[in-house]
Amino acid sequence: MQENYNTEFKQSWRDEYLKTLCAFANTHGGILYVGKDDDGNVVGLDNDKKTLEDLPNKIRSKLGILADVQHHKTDGKDYLSIEITAYPYQPISYDGRYYRRSGSTTQLIDGTELEHFLLSKHGRTWDTVPIAHVASEDLSLEVIHRFKTKVMQTGRLTEIQNWDNHLLLNKLHLFAERGELTRAAILLFHNDPERWIKGAFIKIAAFDTNGELRFQDSVNGSLIEQIDKTLDLLKTKYLTYDISFEGASRRERLRLPEIALRESLLNAIAHKDYSDSTPTQIKVYPHKVVFWNAGRLPENWSIQTLWNGHHSKPFNSLIADALLRSGDIESIGSGYERIKRAMREYQLPKPDITVLGGLQISYISNLTAWWLQQGLSDDQITILQFAYNNGRISNQQIQNLLSISSATAKRLLNELSPFMQKHGERGRNVFYTIKL
């Protein structure tokens, strides 16, 4: 046995270990062993008997929870196990402070994290909290009308045309218990939500190949407006197009699928942690586009969870529900599948997702520029471009393309193994494709 998120060893009891029991209760439950060393070996108990007998009462009086305290004996040595079950709907504190488990450590919950923790224990999200001294009349009539129009176009709330603005806000659960507007209402429909919620805007910036800033914009206003304004700016000012001709007709196509851009923008807006005053950021480079927001993965989720089919767990439930009804979000929980599908249709690699002080998703928009960024030679890029345009390439085709020997072609293919996939074992049937 090793220490982990729900197991910890202590050689003797100290009252400070009530923090660990508190953390177990606030996370997934766990067992604290007393009388074991850090490697889980039984070393015996050295506390007085009365202290250990009083533990159940102490835990109940200090934490307000019940513990299963058991006495064990191994090789003539005594030890205790203190088992705590999880309390998913009740925040547990020790001396007025709250703790949780992270890996094999016990951590104090404070700051904005504490607010999220307390809200989640009561089944609420950050955007459900009321904001005082703002009336529904302070919201933008134009934005509400735009929202109503979008909802009617989706057909998801056919009766909305008969609702006045107060009933609409009520149906969207945007009033708190005492009638105040929630944070979600301010973000969705107020012209200037930044008066109450700092960082509630989007910053877009374009950079050159050396990473130097070329130009930038800030998109402010209600979230409903930010969606359309940001997409319009990306398509008209920041992103490049591939040009082709069909007869005399000119065809233009964004170098990234609009579906993927829209999904990432909506994810950034709906799942941002708005208690963080850092704005959502979109950085556009010659070869890639990067979305970043001060969000976080739900507990026990990994990056792979996003790519696999997953259930809905919006960080801001009211905002996500409103965007779902307006048709901005097609169906909660399916956005990453649409991103993968759109990128495959464009023959571009799946975007890279990282947790970097928030959630970041990076798209390759120009493979040739990206290959140059990786330091590849002209010959290597020529091979990759041929394989990309034709779907595959062979050793013989490389020889003909570059006027080189078979051995040189083989060396180049070996160097390109991070970018190309080999198919077949040997002979003329062997070919290579781009890894996407």
Side-chain angles (χ1 to χ4, degrees):
M1 293 180 64
Q2 292 182 333
E3 291 185 323
N4 55 42
Y5 71 96
N6 63 358
T7 305
E8 188 149 332
F9 307 127
K10 300 297 180 185
Q11 295 194 30
S12 59
W13 174 259
R14 296 179 185 174
D15 283 355
E16 66 184 74
Y17 300 148
L18 288 167
K19 296 177 185 177
T20 301
L21 302 183
C22 174
F24 284 152
N26 284 327
T27 315
H28 304 291
I31 302 177
L32 175 66
Y33 292 96
V34 183
K36 290 189 174 187
D37 63 19
D38 291 342
D39 296 320
N41 301 311
V42 177
V43 295
L45 297 169
D46 57 7
N47 292 88
D48 64 85
K49 184 177 180 181
K50 186 175 187 314
T51 298
L52 299 177
E53 288 176 347
D54 287 344
L55 273 179
N57 292 331
K58 180 173 287 188
I59 293 167
R60 186 167 58 251
S61 65
K62 289 286 189 179
L63 302 179
I65 61 176
L66 298 176
D68 182 15
V69 182
Q70 299 287 336
H71 176 268
H72 307 274
K73 200 177 193 71
T74 297
D75 297 330
K77 298 177 181 178
D78 299 304
Y79 68 99
L80 295 180
S81 63
I82 307 171
E83 184 170 3
I84 302 293
T85 58
Y87 284 72
Y89 308 114
Q90 178 183 346
I92 305 302
S93 67
Y94 170 58
D95 282 350
R97 296 190 173 192
Y98 297 87
Y99 299 86
R100 66 180 179 87
R101 293 289 285 182
S102 178
S104 59
T105 64
T106 294
Q107 296 184 352
L108 174 68
I109 309 173
D110 58 5
T112 58
E113 185 69 30
L114 179 59
E115 180 186 14
H116 290 299
F117 166 76
L118 294 174
L119 286 169
S120 68
K121 288 294 183 179
H122 294 98
R124 300 175 62 190
T125 53
W126 180 90
D127 60 341
T128 64
V129 174
I131 293 182
H133 312 303
V134 189
S136 56
E137 292 77 13
D138 297 324
L139 302 181
S140 169
L141 294 177
E142 180 184 347
V143 175
I144 292 176
H145 176 73
R146 179 185 298 185
F147 176 81
K148 280 184 174 181
T149 302
K150 294 174 78 171
V151 173
M152 285 189 286
Q153 289 172 346
T154 67
R156 292 178 179 178
L157 280 176
T158 53
E159 65 274 24
I160 194 174
Q161 58 186 330
N162 301 317
W163 296 350
D164 61 25
N165 292 345
H166 190 277
L167 181 57
L168 170 65
L169 297 172
N170 191 49
K171 291 287 188 179
L172 294 174
H173 307 292
L174 296 179
F175 289 114
E177 291 84 352
R178 298 180 181 178
E180 309 99 325
L181 288 173
T182 60
R183 289 166 170 168
I186 304 302
L187 284 165
L188 287 165
F189 298 122
H190 200 284
N191 277 329
D192 187 16
E194 294 169 62
R195 285 174 57 186
W196 298 272
I197 303 163
K198 300 301 181 185
F201 66 98
I202 298 171
K203 201 168 194 65
I204 315 175
F207 298 85
D208 62 21
T209 53
N210 297 317
E212 296 293 329
L213 179 66
R214 294 175 58 214
F215 50 86
Q216 60 183 324
D217 289 282
S218 290
V219 182
N220 306 87
S222 69
L223 297 188
I224 299 298
E225 294 174 298
Q226 287 183 30
I227 295 168
D228 295 332
K229 287 179 180 178
T230 301
L231 280 173
D232 185 61
L233 271 172
L234 286 173
K235 291 191 296 182
T236 59
K237 183 175 179 179
Y238 283 85
L239 298 177
T240 54
Y241 288 74
D242 287 321
I243 309 298
S244 62
F245 291 88
E246 292 183 13
S249 300
R250 174 188 170 101
R251 298 283 184 260
E252 296 184 355
R253 188 180 81 157
L254 273 174
R255 286 195 165 177
L256 277 174
E258 184 174 344
I259 291 174
L261 296 172
R262 187 177 186 85
E263 288 294 338
S264 289
L265 173 61
L266 288 165
N267 281 336
I269 287 174
H271 301 295
K272 180 184 187 297
D273 179 359
Y274 286 96
S275 64
D276 188 310
S277 60
T278 311
T280 295
Q281 299 171 22
I282 305 173
K283 298 180 179 180
V284 181
Y285 298 86
H287 65 288
K288 67 178 180 179
V289 178
V290 180
F291 290 79
W292 180 93
N293 76 87
R296 66 189 76 181
L297 291 174
E299 192 173 1
N300 296 325
W301 282 31
S302 66
I303 299 299
Q304 195 56 45
T305 308
L306 297 176
W307 290 122
N308 298 335
H310 60 274
H311 62 279
S312 167
K313 201 168 184 180
F315 192 82
N316 299 296
S317 59
L318 295 181
I319 293 174
D321 181 63
L323 296 181
L324 176 66
R325 293 173 184 273
S326 69
D328 288 299
I329 296 177
E330 287 191 22
S331 59
I332 296 176
S334 62
Y336 284 95
E337 182 55 43
R338 285 196 291 277
I339 289 173
K340 282 195 297 185
R341 188 164 57 246
M343 295 300 281
R344 280 198 302 268
E345 291 173 358
Y346 262 62
Q347 292 186 294
L348 288 171
K350 184 176 74 174
D352 179 58
I353 303 177
T354 55
V355 178
L356 193 65
L359 208 58
Q360 177 173 292
I361 182 166
S362 303
Y363 291 90
I364 301 301
S365 59
N366 185 326
L367 279 173
T368 301
W370 182 63
W371 290 330
L372 282 168
Q373 194 80 7
Q374 306 309 302
L376 299 183
S377 67
D378 290 343
D379 285 348
Q380 290 171 325
I381 291 176
T382 299
I383 293 170
L384 291 170
Q385 286 174 329
F386 184 95
Y388 179 75
N389 294 330
N390 295 278
R392 61 167 66 186
I393 195 169
S394 66
N395 184 297
Q396 183 62 56
Q397 287 173 317
I398 294 173
Q399 295 177 52
N400 297 337
L401 187 65
L402 300 176
S403 300
I404 57 176
S405 67
S406 175
T408 302
K410 184 177 181 180
R411 174 180 59 78
L412 287 170
L413 284 167
N414 287 335
E415 293 171 352
L416 288 171
S417 59
F419 305 91
M420 303 194 75
Q421 179 68 46
K422 180 181 178 182
H423 302 268
E425 294 297 325
R426 61 177 65 185
R428 295 182 179 179
N429 293 327
V430 174
F431 64 93
Y432 301 82
T433 58
I434 299 294
K435 286 182 181 178
L436 295 176

